[in-house]
Amino acid sequence: MIREAAQLLLQVRAISKRYGAVQALSSMDFDLAAGEVHVLFGENGAGKSTLINVICGAVPPDEGEVSLRGNPIKLRDVHDARSRGISAMFQEFSLAPHLSVEENIYLGDEPKAGLWLKRGVRRHGAKEALERFGFDLNPSTMVGMLSRAQQQMVEMAKALRTGPDVLILDEPTASLSEKETETLFSLIRDLRKQGVGIIYITHRIKEIKEIGDRVTVMRDGKPVKTVDAGSTDHKEFVELMIGRTFDNFYPQFTCEPTEERLTVENLSTVSGHVRSATIKVLAGEIVGLAGLVGCGKSEIGRAVFGLEPILSGSVKHEGTEIKRPTPRRMLDRGVVYITSDRHNEGLMLLRSTKENISLSALSLSEYSRASWINRGAEQQMAQRVAKRMKVTPLDLSKPVSAYSGGNQQKILITKALARDTRVFIFDEPTVGIDVSARVEVYKFMKDLITAGESVLMISSDLPEIINMSHRVYVVKDGEVVDHMEKSEISEPRLLNAFFSGTKEVA
Amino acid sequence: MNRRDGDKRSADATSWLRQAFIHLGILPLLLVAAILLFAIQEERFYSSLNIFNVVRQTTFLLIVALGQMIVILTKGLDMSMGAVVGFSGVVGALAMKAVLGVAPDALLLGGIVAVLAGISAGALAGAFNGIGVSYLNVPPFMMTLGTWTSLVGVSLLLTKGMPLTGVPDEFMRALGYGRIFGLAPPVLVTIILVVLVYALLNRTTIGRYFYAIGSNLRAAKLSGINASGQMFFAYVLSGTFAGVAGVLFIARTGSAEALNGSAYTLQAIAACVIGGVSLFGGIGKVRDVLLGAFFITILTNGMNLIRVESYIQSIVLGLVLILSLVADQFRMKLLK
């Protein structure tokens, strides 16, 4: 399966990259042969994205060397990389939503005579590119009007138009249906036959088996091991990835739910992202809310916390109906929503850790009288809860931006502990954090449940849903399409509900 | 090996400078440079009389800058402060005239009415800005720019374009050039305001929330903070501060004019930004605004002393402002 050295296309030697306090890559080695699919596998934050950003020229490395066909190269930017035959398709699309399909395909590389755009050439080229790869799209449609899968096709056509030798795919199937995934895979097989080297990032072991040749597992910005995709089994992959055995990754616990804490009945939002959703969360249990990215599961949590205007239906907390939820009202009732977007709506990155932790609790009489802050009480409380959440190394006066992603997530969760919180709505609780922080977040959830609190865990991470939930609701297109008790939770049933919205196991 | 050590040392020095820049901004550098430059060029610069002058001149700017700072902390901007200074002066003077017109001997009453009317006029103008920005979602720059031009119009209408004179000498002595505890009244008022703003921003939830909504509005809302109310209050405060400056201004000059204090808007913004208050919100210290206001006054004062033409002066002020904005951008990048 592994090609000879002569066909070595791309080599990465001892690449390091640091962002502030975070060492994203340290002495990373990687190579890619012509005509192979080389999978990069690892936790969020393992450094995969940084590595491909270096390879595609988006980010200059601090140290190390990238060589193409044995010649060391210094990439100025993405454009430079593309002209040398390295093309990338990102998970976060680099598309301009207000431009048309063809404009996007040629963005940054428009065919022109002087300043004059050659629109005919562009139209023709775009059409040809779309047809060649079997994408059924109209080149003049505005990209913002397309579905996510279609946008992915545009992104793909853009990456492939220049006929690259090295193609980077960052979780290309994250938002695709099974059929679309099949189409993508056959396209990848064709490209492989043509001698294109493909770097493929995925979290799905099933895909590695299906499409991968070699797999490099990454952890903490370093390569752990490069293995053959065919002869490595599921358990080995996971153990390589997390650096410990599978068994103690998720805590062992049993839920003994008691009374109803949070009840959502026939909830629909004004935005239409949630349609007639009904869920229940009891005291002492973790309820998983699963589904694909953008299915509306997050909006259910947001609506409960007053962040999404409610069209109809009801939200009840401990039996009391809350007519118009607002963050203030919900916080006062002991309900907290812990956002998935900690940078944009969770933390004040440039303010101190203490201020971040105490922000929502400051108005309580323990910490202020007639708006005069009791700084001693504030300091003590922040110290106490941050220690409980194991924020390390803890310095309450440091701005939050100085911490790693895992610690930032812990600080975000710590905010909820500053108040007397009984219902925790976690939205993607472990997104972008390292393994040790992840383990601590899970343990924290377990402790909450043991103490009789309630957790609603909104997550796109399947293993997390499977291992942590006492019950699971599956959301598709804003509707709750399936509900499973602990004993019924299984990956096939979840996936089936994700994609087809039915309860039958495929 | 040696070379590497040398590299490391210079890297340490660079990183120390970098840290100093990140924490303090560009101000200390500029302040030291300005003081040295003027002291070398002109010895009158450090005479006690001139120092007294600088302190007194700084008071007005500082009062306005404190209000401006609060607004900028919330990621806002108050372009109308200069116009509010003029407007509240006009309202205060008119109110006093009205009282003295009825009872020419009621000087104390007239003075109190003038102070209250002037400050309330400022607060009202601020409330107007606040409603626009926080409840009607008009961008702060445009809202306060609109208020600026409209208010100048209102003041001109009220005064029919003429300066209002005839402010009684007693009023001017009480709030202008007299002495309270050995201090000029504006200096005393400024000291009180500095202490109050310091306490507000550092010791109360209201102040903490100003920082919070400027730092991350969405995070503040998710933490249950009444962001609209807070923002409204920030503009009321900036209006009130401009009102205080307006009243003190008539006490010092003895007349009220629509365009009194119009230079303060930009100077106050400059004082804040030079003092490291980030226009991106959420960052800034009272201490640094104090230094910023002093720097601007010293710059103007020093340039006057060494006889720099006023045209050149405005060029220098403008360039210093731009320089500090560029430095601010750069600083933000380093902070992230």
Side-chain angles (χ1 to χ4, degrees):
Chain A
M1 198 61 86
I2 300 164
R3 305 309 194 265
E4 301 143 35
Q7 278 169 294
L8 212 56
L9 199 54
L10 182 88
Q11 250 186 318
V12 170
R13 285 289 162 263
I15 290 276
S16 296
K17 179 76 197 174
R18 173 180 275 277
Y19 293 107
V22 185
Q23 185 77 44
L25 282 179
S26 55
S27 294
M28 178 70 197
D29 292 329
F30 178 80
D31 58 62
L32 178 72
E36 77 161 338
V37 175
H38 194 155
V39 177
L40 276 177
F41 185 68
E43 283 286 313
N44 288 325
K48 301 171 310 238
S49 300
T50 312
L51 177 62
I52 61 165
N53 273 317
V54 168
I55 295 176
C56 77
V59 164
D62 296 337
E63 284 164 40
E65 189 179 76
V66 178
S67 33
L68 196 61
R69 295 196 187 79
N71 308 314
I73 49 170
K74 267 216 156 33
L75 298 168
R76 280 195 312 274
D77 50 31
V78 179
H79 196 74
D80 185 27
R82 207 190 294 161
S83 69
R84 290 169 192 263
I86 302 172
S87 218
M89 192 182 95
F90 292 104
Q91 190 184 353
E92 296 300 327
F93 295 154
S94 53
L95 299 174
H98 298 292
L99 297 182
S100 70
V101 170
E102 55 175 86
E103 282 167 333
N104 266 292
I105 290 177
Y106 278 95
L107 196 64
D109 191 22
E110 289 82 1
K112 55 191 171 189
L115 284 174
W116 198 253
L117 285 179
K118 291 180 170 170
R119 296 168 46 135
V121 174
R122 188 177 69 193
R123 170 68 52 94
H124 186 77
K127 229 180 200 151
E128 204 184 65
L130 290 170
E131 269 165 23
R132 184 157 26 117
F133 311 125
F135 297 150
D136 183 20
L137 288 175
N138 181 349
S140 57
T141 315
M142 200 168 87
V143 160
M145 310 287 286
L146 299 175
S147 71
R148 232 186 118 79
Q150 287 171 319
Q151 292 188 7
Q152 181 133 23
M153 293 176 190
V154 179
E155 186 79 39
M156 191 87 174
K158 185 178 165 186
L160 288 174
R161 184 186 57 82
T162 49
D165 302 320
V166 176
L167 178 67
I168 300 167
L169 300 172
D170 185 4
E171 293 198 53
T173 57
S175 57
L176 297 187
S177 71
E178 266 173 70
K179 189 169 150 278
E180 288 160 343
T181 304
E182 258 325 299
T183 317
L184 177 75
F185 282 176
S186 66
L187 180 64
I188 291 176
R189 288 189 192 101
D190 284 349
L191 291 170
R192 178 162 61 181
K193 251 179 246 157
Q194 293 161 25
V196 178
I198 295 168
I199 303 173
Y200 190 101
I201 294 189
T202 184
H203 282 118
R204 298 180 181 169
I205 293 168
K206 216 177 93 191
E207 284 180 11
I208 299 181
K209 291 281 183 198
E210 200 170 334
I211 196 84
D213 296 321
R214 283 193 297 162
V215 183
T216 293
V217 182
M218 289 182 75
R219 197 194 314 142
D220 303 327
K222 287 181 225 125
V224 177
K225 202 176 179 189
T226 298
V227 296
D228 199 48
S231 58
T232 313
D233 71 5
H234 189 286
K235 194 159 168 278
E236 259 180 283
F237 273 128
V238 176
E239 286 176 4
L240 282 172
M241 170 175 80
I242 62 180
R244 64 174 88 190
T245 50
F246 203 18
D247 306 326
N248 56 18
F249 189 53
Y250 295 99
Q252 293 299 311
F253 60 99
T254 45
C255 292
E256 280 159 19
T258 52
E259 80 272 9
E260 259 180 49
R261 277 273 170 73
L262 188 69
T263 317
V264 174
E265 271 168 355
N266 296 317
L267 185 80
S268 299
T269 60
V270 174
S271 64
H273 290 311
V274 180
R275 291 183 294 171
S276 203
T278 298
I279 63 169
K280 250 182 232 165
V281 185
L282 308 188
E285 69 168 348
I286 298 179
V287 174
L289 202 51
L292 295 176
V293 173
C295 68
K297 60 186 188 303
S298 173
E299 282 78 4
I300 294 178
R302 299 181 70 86
V304 167
F305 199 61
L307 299 172
E308 280 269 321
I310 293 171
L311 183 68
S312 61
S314 72
V315 174
K316 281 194 198 124
H317 176 248
E318 289 173 353
T320 318
E321 182 167 351
I322 296 143
K323 285 280 182 225
R324 227 172 47 84
T326 63
R328 164 96 281 147
R329 251 171 240 168
M330 298 315 283
L331 285 170
D332 285 345
R333 299 197 69 100
V335 179
V336 71
Y337 168 80
I338 298 165
T339 177
S340 59
D341 189 350
R342 58 177 174 267
H343 284 183
N344 286 317
E345 60 175 29
L347 298 167
M348 307 180 287
L349 287 176
L350 301 179
R351 302 300 304 176
S352 73
T353 311
K354 180 185 74 180
E355 284 182 27
N356 270 281
I357 291 174
S358 67
L359 188 62
S360 67
L362 218 49
S363 57
L364 300 175
S365 59
E366 293 106 293
Y367 309 116
S368 68
R369 284 279 162 84
S371 107
W372 191 262
I373 298 171
N374 180 342
R375 297 207 299 179
E378 183 197 8
Q379 177 82 18
Q380 273 174 20
M381 176 271 285
Q383 186 83 33
R384 189 187 66 226
V385 292
K387 266 199 181 141
R388 180 172 158 203
M389 203 55 224
K390 298 202 180 79
V391 179
T392 47
L394 179 62
D395 178 354
L396 286 176
S397 62
K398 219 163 59 168
V400 172
S401 59
Y403 287 97
S404 68
N407 272 311
Q408 288 182 3
Q409 183 70 5
K410 287 193 224 162
I411 293 170
L412 182 66
I413 296 171
T414 306
K415 285 182 67 174
L417 295 177
R419 300 182 67 108
D420 192 8
T421 306
R422 313 302 305 271
V423 179
F424 293 75
I425 304 173
F426 286 96
D427 196 351
E428 306 291 354
T430 56
V431 73
I433 67 175
D434 58 35
V435 180
S436 65
R438 192 181 259 250
V439 169
E440 273 161 31
V441 170
Y442 293 144
K443 184 175 172 298
F444 173 68
M445 285 190 195
K446 176 197 153 190
D447 293 346
L448 286 178
I449 295 312
T450 319
E453 317 298 15
S454 310
V455 171
L456 177 63
M457 184 181 71
I458 304 167
S459 174
S460 305
D461 186 325
L462 257 190
E464 182 170 292
I465 286 282
I466 293 169
N467 288 286
M468 293 298 292
S469 311
H470 179 243
R471 292 184 296 122
V472 176
Y473 293 97
V474 179
V475 182
K476 179 173 185 288
D477 298 331
E479 288 174 81
V480 175
V481 292
D482 199 0
H483 171 246
M484 294 163 224
E485 296 287 342
K486 180 89 196 163
S487 58
E488 304 170 312
I489 301 172
S490 72
E491 187 165 344
R493 179 159 164 188
L494 279 165
L495 285 174
N496 194 60
F498 282 10
F499 291 110
S500 58
T502 54
K503 292 187 185 186
E504 290 82 43
V505 176
Chain B
M1 256 314 167
N2 263 335
R3 207 180 122 230
R4 187 176 287 173
D5 283 355
D7 282 356
K8 195 168 170 260
R9 211 169 303 131
S10 76
D12 281 352
T14 322
S15 90
W16 184 85
L17 256 180
R18 206 176 117 121
Q19 287 303 314
F21 174 61
I22 288 173
H23 288 297
L24 302 170
I26 198 170
L27 178 63
L29 217 73
L30 291 175
L31 196 62
V32 170
I35 291 175
L36 284 178
L37 179 81
F38 294 130
I40 291 166
Q41 296 250 335
E42 176 63 62
E43 59 181 40
R44 271 184 301 159
F45 178 72
Y46 50 84
S47 67
S48 60
L49 181 69
N50 192 52
I51 291 171
F52 177 76
N53 251 333
V54 166
V55 171
R56 215 192 48 191
Q57 283 169 12
T58 305
T59 56
F60 289 89
L61 175 57
L62 187 54
I63 292 172
V64 178
L66 286 172
Q68 188 67 262
M69 173 194 185
I70 292 171
V71 170
I72 296 180
L73 283 182
T74 68
K75 213 175 191 167
L77 197 63
D78 190 345
M79 295 300 294
S80 69
M81 288 195 82
V84 178
V85 171
F87 172 68
S88 24
V90 166
V91 171
L94 284 174
M96 178 154 50
K97 278 206 157 164
V99 173
L100 296 180
V102 179
D105 296 329
L107 283 173
L108 182 64
L109 179 69
I112 291 172
V113 167
V115 170
L116 291 181
I119 294 176
S120 320
L124 209 67
F128 184 71
N129 281 327
I131 288 169
V133 171
S134 51
Y135 297 107
L136 305 176
N137 293 320
V138 184
F141 182 83
M142 291 318 295
M143 182 66 210
T144 54
L145 197 67
T147 305
W148 175 7
T149 53
S150 316
L151 262 192
V152 170
V154 172
S155 305
L156 286 170
L157 268 180
L158 288 174
T159 59
K160 304 189 180 65
M162 300 294 287
L164 290 172
T165 51
V167 175
D169 201 42
E170 287 81 354
F171 183 75
M172 292 175 69
R173 197 177 314 133
L175 292 178
Y177 55 80
R179 285 286 179 279
I180 307 173
F181 309 126
L183 292 169
V187 175
L188 186 69
V189 170
T190 308
I191 292 173
I192 293 170
L193 288 181
V194 168
V195 172
L196 282 181
V197 172
Y198 178 85
L200 178 80
L201 291 182
N202 294 291
R203 297 299 179 92
T204 71
T205 53
I206 299 169
R208 189 68 71 75
Y209 295 163
F210 285 145
Y211 283 104
I213 59 179
S215 239
N216 190 337
L217 181 62
R218 286 166 71 187
K221 283 184 180 164
L222 256 66
S223 301
I225 289 167
N226 175 2
S228 306
Q230 281 281 322
M231 230 182 265
F232 173 76
F233 187 52
Y235 287 90
V236 171
L237 282 179
S238 74
T240 307
F241 280 59
V244 171
V247 170
L248 289 173
F249 210 96
I250 42 174
R252 191 170 91 182
T253 60
S255 73
E257 261 183 275
L259 293 175
N260 269 356
S262 56
Y264 285 138
T265 306
L266 285 180
Q267 284 192 15
I269 295 172
C272 288
V273 174
I274 292 173
V277 181
S278 167
L279 286 176
F280 300 96
I283 290 183
K285 294 198 171 98
V286 173
R287 181 196 67 200
D288 296 338
V289 172
L290 190 80
L291 293 181
F294 268 108
F295 171 71
I296 294 203
T297 321
I298 285 172
L299 196 63
T300 326
N301 172 275
M303 286 194 293
N304 279 334
L305 283 180
I306 61 171
R307 292 185 202 82
V308 175
E309 248 185 287
S310 69
Y311 305 143
I312 308 270
Q313 287 198 17
S314 54
I315 296 175
V316 171
L317 273 178
L319 289 179
V320 167
L321 178 60
I322 292 171
L323 173 70
S324 55
L325 280 174
V326 172
D328 184 43
Q329 292 263 11
F330 186 60
R331 184 160 160 243
M332 281 294 115
K333 227 176 254 165
L334 291 181
L335 272 171
K336 273 170 193 155

